[in-house]
Amino acid sequence: MIRVGVVGMGKMGLSHLSIFRAHPQVELAGICDSNSYLLSVLGKYTGIPTYSSYETMLAKAELDAVVIATPSALHAPMVRTALDRGLHVFCEKPFCLDPAVSEELAALAEAKDLVTAVGYHYRFVGTFAEIKRLLDAGAIGEVTLAQAEAFGPVVLKRQGTTWRSKKQLGGGSLYDYAAHPLNLLNWYLGSPNWVGGTVLQPVFSSETDDQVAGTLRFDSGATGQISVNWSDESERKMSTKITLWGTKGRIHADRQELQVYLREEGPTGYRKGWTVKYTTELTKEVWFYLRGEEYSAQADDFITRIAEHHTDGVNSFTAATATDQTLAMLVADAESPTKPRGGLRRLIGR
Amino acid sequence: MDRLLFGDNQFFGVNHMSEEKARAQAMRFQDIEAIQSVLDDAYDEGVTTFMCTTHDRIAEVTAHVRANPQRYPDQKFFPCMPYAHKYANAMTEDGPIGAIRRFLPDGGILDAAMRGGMSLAKKDIEGVTTLLIDAEMKMFEGLSTPVIFLQNVVVDLLLGMGFLDAFATFAEHVRTRYHAEPGFITMNTPMLLDALDKVGLVNPIVCSNINKLGFRMSGGVEGYLQALEKRPFRAIAMSVFASGAIRPAEAIEWICAQPNIESIVFGASSRAHIAATRDEVKKYW
């Protein structure tokens, strides 16, 4: 059995607690939160040992691995403490707010041969994983344009009392929503070498952004556009969409449906013209279901990699570091004064 | 319970296959008259139980039925609570405690409980749970609600965590306050049956996906079929068409051949589809 502790009993922490505890190879050995009331209720009703101090949990609970689901600004110090103790770490996204720290921690984990994961669960969604497979097979040729979008109803009025409304704590739609489609772009196209036209804009929030727009250029020659708004009541829940245009076709996907247009015969199952596949066909069964197969699949991937000593993973610290770097580029671009013309021209002429 | 129960996903933009289709349905059903008209069709085709989430808009349906008792003498509702996205989005914004406080009729009780500290926990939890249930049930006042369900997001969250006493608390309150049978929606039937056994809930009503494809049947088709064969529970099958991935006739022939399924819940947007499903089921049941 792998002994797992979970820190941070918010929406994601509770969800992880449920999924990890249901895993047949996991012994849920400790939970930690700063809200003593919530912690006491959970302790009383689940029988899991509770800790109000993270350090105490790491010292006493004899953990093999820890799941970190605290506000984003706390990820870096908590991850470091866990790695120093030789624990495998699953951290919620975004990984670290400072990409230099992300790199350092990814290197530290690698040096210590520890299994790492960041909760970019969209890489475990059947449709989005299928895009990766199709791109690797060259199905749409060279990707020239990518559109990455996320919309949903999170901040619909002027208020907000949690860390998510505080920029310094890693709140806002950039870190919370845009991070997901950007992480998919990183998976499909690599790291951008340039970003421009970034606008991080509030709709209702007073301290942070509720929508994100921006343009990214990739080494491959592809141009990406990110468009995110979490003040969209027309969506029932978060809706993430990816559209890729290539020299040999086009792919569009959300978490339910994959629509592929190919100009010539593609890999097995993909004909010339349109092919539509659904999540029912593309999703692998999971042992326990809560909110979506992808959450269980990412937990299972982490536990299985620990059991089998595989440090390489699709959502490892290294993979997440690329997304932290992309996020930092967007922030820097949004905060910079008018960009120098020369730099832009140089890129265009590249 | 009736053999056929009418579901409500189609009315609220829930479609497990296509977001485009879901949006088209949300547009089509944005006026409550459009929803009511399909419910009237279902009623007139003999499908008189409406299994619905406690979505705010259901209050308009229940108000209409309450105002027209002579039109709907046999109308029954199976409320499914809570409407989870309401809580999930609130939790992103306000955290778990904040979200619960937001939906309580009086947030003060939670604050008092938190000040009271650990010793009050059990009583508080029950108090808060029953207040939340009562808040969700308000829209069904005066109507027939013989079965009241806990939604799968909540059931499965509690199930995974091992917070099993909550199932007993829910069942107890539903029985005493509403004289209704508690029901549980889940994506993990075999695991849930063990948990309900542990807290002494005998022969429970459990609603879950049961389809030929094994779509969202955690524990596997085999595990489900064994449970249906051997375990005492009252099974309701949903998603029998696996979101449209199985042809209707084939799906119904298969589901009707499985043992011990008491009811099927299905959604449809037209009278013709409602009648077709009813007739197809009649061939076997």
Side-chain angles (χ1 to χ4, degrees):
Chain A
M1 293 297 264
I2 293 162
R3 293 175 62 86
V4 176
V6 183
V7 55
M9 294 290 116
K11 185 170 101 171
M12 291 314 301
L14 289 173
S15 167
H16 289 312
L17 168 59
S18 179
I19 291 168
F20 277 92
R21 198 180 197 196
H23 196 285
Q25 284 170 272
V26 169
E27 165 86 38
L28 213 300
I31 52 176
C32 175
D33 195 85
S34 58
N35 184 323
S36 60
Y37 181 74
L38 181 62
L39 201 60
S40 73
V41 170
L42 288 172
K44 187 171 176 119
Y45 285 90
T46 64
I48 301 170
T50 60
Y51 298 90
S52 52
S53 148
Y54 178 61
E55 280 70 24
T56 311
M57 178 168 83
L58 297 195
K60 299 238 172 99
E62 294 172 13
L63 304 178
D64 299 305
V66 66
V67 175
I68 298 172
T70 50
S72 308
L74 298 176
H75 292 174
M78 288 185 153
V79 167
R80 190 186 303 278
T81 311
L83 293 177
D84 283 341
R85 284 186 166 273
L87 301 184
H88 306 290
V89 180
F90 181 106
C91 181
E92 250 318 313
K93 48 77 24 187
F95 178 30
C96 304
L97 299 178
D98 177 353
V101 177
S102 315
E103 264 179 74
E104 197 190 319
L105 294 175
L108 178 62
E110 206 180 317
K112 289 184 164 262
D113 210 19
L114 294 166
V115 174
T116 63
V118 176
Y120 283 112
H121 56 260
Y122 279 98
R123 292 194 181 188
F124 290 90
V125 170
T127 50
F128 294 124
E130 185 72 355
I131 290 185
K132 175 67 175 160
R133 205 178 69 81
L134 287 170
L135 292 178
D136 287 348
I140 60 166
E142 214 175 289
V143 176
T144 56
L145 182 63
Q147 192 171 311
E149 304 166 286
F151 305 107
V154 178
V155 178
L156 296 173
K157 52 183 189 267
R158 284 178 208 290
Q159 63 156 34
T161 52
T162 64
W163 63 272
R164 285 176 200 273
S165 61
K166 309 264 185 245
K167 185 113 207 150
Q168 296 85 341
L169 294 180
S173 64
L174 176 71
Y175 290 114
D176 208 299
Y177 257 44
H180 279 297
L182 288 168
N183 177 262
L184 289 174
L185 286 187
N186 290 146
W187 199 25
Y188 301 147
L189 302 171
S191 295
N193 54 33
W194 179 90
V195 304
T198 310
V199 184
L200 306 178
Q201 203 177 328
V203 177
F204 299 115
S205 294
S206 49
E207 290 182 55
T208 188
D209 51 272
D210 298 319
Q211 65 175 42
V212 178
T215 302
L216 308 90
R217 297 289 319 263
F218 295 86
D219 279 337
S220 64
T223 300
Q225 287 207 299
I226 177 87
S227 190
V228 165
N229 180 325
W230 73 355
S231 300
D232 176 3
E233 198 187 63
S234 77
E235 299 287 352
R236 195 171 57 93
K237 56 180 181 178
M238 184 181 183
S239 165
T240 299
K241 301 177 217 291
I242 296 284
T243 314
L244 300 163
W245 287 263
T247 49
K248 297 204 283 189
R250 171 195 188 264
I251 303 176
H252 173 78
D254 53 40
R255 67 186 295 283
Q256 332 247 37
E257 186 178 12
L258 177 76
Q259 302 170 342
V260 180
Y261 182 88
L262 298 183
R263 296 178 62 196
E264 42 196 74
E265 190 73 22
T268 313
Y270 292 87
R271 49 189 287 196
K272 184 177 169 182
W274 287 104
T275 303
V276 179
K277 291 189 190 262
Y278 294 100
T279 174
T280 38
E281 179 182 351
L282 296 170
T283 305
K284 283 193 211 90
E285 196 190 309
V286 290
W287 88 99
F288 175 74
Y289 180 100
L290 176 71
R291 302 171 66 209
E293 285 86 358
E294 60 272 26
Y295 297 99
S296 304
Q298 69 172 358
D300 182 57
D301 176 75
F302 178 63
I303 294 302
T304 305
R305 285 195 289 121
I306 293 173
E308 296 175 357
H309 309 290
H310 290 309
T311 51
D312 278 353
V314 73
N315 62 349
S316 66
F317 282 0
T318 307
T321 297
T323 304
D324 289 343
Q325 287 161 342
T326 305
L327 291 166
M329 286 171 82
L330 289 165
V331 171
D333 182 53
E335 286 172 354
S336 74
T338 318
K339 282 166 280 293
R341 294 279 166 214
L344 202 59
R345 204 172 299 125
R346 246 198 338 272
L347 266 161
I348 291 164
R350 204 172 53 85
Chain B
M1 292 190 293
D2 295 336
R3 299 309 303 254
L4 276 180
L5 313 171
F6 200 60
D8 71 346
N9 273 351
Q10 68 279 10
F11 297 144
F12 299 118
V14 183
N15 185 293
H16 298 297
M17 287 283 261
S18 156
E19 290 190 1
E20 268 170 58
K21 195 166 174 207
R23 176 170 296 141
Q25 284 174 330
M27 288 172 186
R28 177 174 161 200
F29 290 113
Q30 72 176 324
D31 291 324
I32 202 71
E33 291 76 22
I35 294 179
Q36 195 58 57
S37 149
V38 174
L39 287 173
D40 285 356
D41 289 342
Y43 188 91
D44 295 336
E45 293 293 344
V47 184
T48 57
T49 300
F50 183 34
M51 183 162 164
C52 55
T53 50
T54 51
H55 192 291
D56 290 344
R57 298 192 61 206
I58 291 294
E60 298 173 65
V61 173
T62 54
H64 174 81
V65 172
R66 202 181 291 115
N68 298 280
Q70 68 298 337
R71 169 72 176 85
Y72 310 102
D74 299 321
Q75 184 72 59
K76 290 180 285 294
F77 291 91
F78 285 5
C80 308
M81 63 179 61
Y83 179 65
H85 291 296
K86 187 168 80 176
Y87 279 89
N89 292 327
M91 243 160 106
T92 305
E93 218 182 342
D94 283 345
I97 299 282
I100 289 172
R101 184 190 282 115
R102 207 195 275 190
F103 296 113
L104 281 175
D106 171 17
I109 181 175
L110 200 63
D111 297 328
M114 286 177 69
R115 278 196 301 274
M118 282 178 72
S119 60
L120 282 168
K122 189 173 171 72
K123 194 173 91 230
D124 304 337
I125 278 283
E126 282 169 8
V128 167
T129 309
T130 54
L131 279 173
L132 289 173
I133 295 171
D134 292 348
E136 302 269 329
M137 282 301 290
K138 231 182 156 88
M139 65 175 84
F140 299 96
E141 220 169 329
L143 299 170
S144 166
T145 55
V147 184
I148 299 172
F149 286 91
L150 199 56
Q151 286 280 23
N152 54 295
V153 175
V154 177
V155 168
D156 292 333
L157 178 73
L158 295 166
L159 174 65
M161 289 200 294
F163 202 131
L164 307 185
D165 285 353
F167 298 141
T169 305
F170 173 78
E172 171 70 18
H173 189 61
V174 156
R175 285 200 173 112
T176 52
R177 173 89 167 75
Y178 299 97
H179 310 291
E181 266 301 297
F184 301 89
I185 307 175
T186 183
M187 298 288 164
N188 307 284
T189 298
M191 194 191 281
L192 179 68
L193 291 175
D194 290 342
L196 295 178
D197 262 357
K198 267 186 211 156
V199 292
L201 292 173
V202 179
N203 200 24
I205 296 176
V206 173
C207 174
S208 56
N209 281 16
I210 307 180
N211 56 64
K212 198 179 177 179
L213 266 190
F215 177 58
R216 295 222 166 120
M217 294 167 65
S218 291
V221 182
E222 244 346 274
Y224 273 65
L225 296 184
Q226 272 182 24
L228 287 170
E229 197 85 53
K230 295 184 183 138
R231 306 196 63 156
F233 76 108
R234 301 173 65 191
I236 300 176
M238 63 177 180
S239 212
V240 298
F241 307 120
S243 291
I246 315 171
R247 286 187 303 109
E250 186 187 347
I252 287 172
E253 184 182 357
W254 184 86
I255 196 74
C256 291
Q258 305 314 314
N260 298 322
I261 291 174
E262 199 166 317
S263 304
I264 293 171
V265 57
F266 75 106
S269 302
S270 73
R271 185 161 189 156
H273 274 130
I274 296 166
T277 304
R278 182 205 54 202
D279 293 344
E280 201 63 37
V281 169
K282 259 194 191 149
K283 283 190 201 165
Y284 307 99
W285 274 1

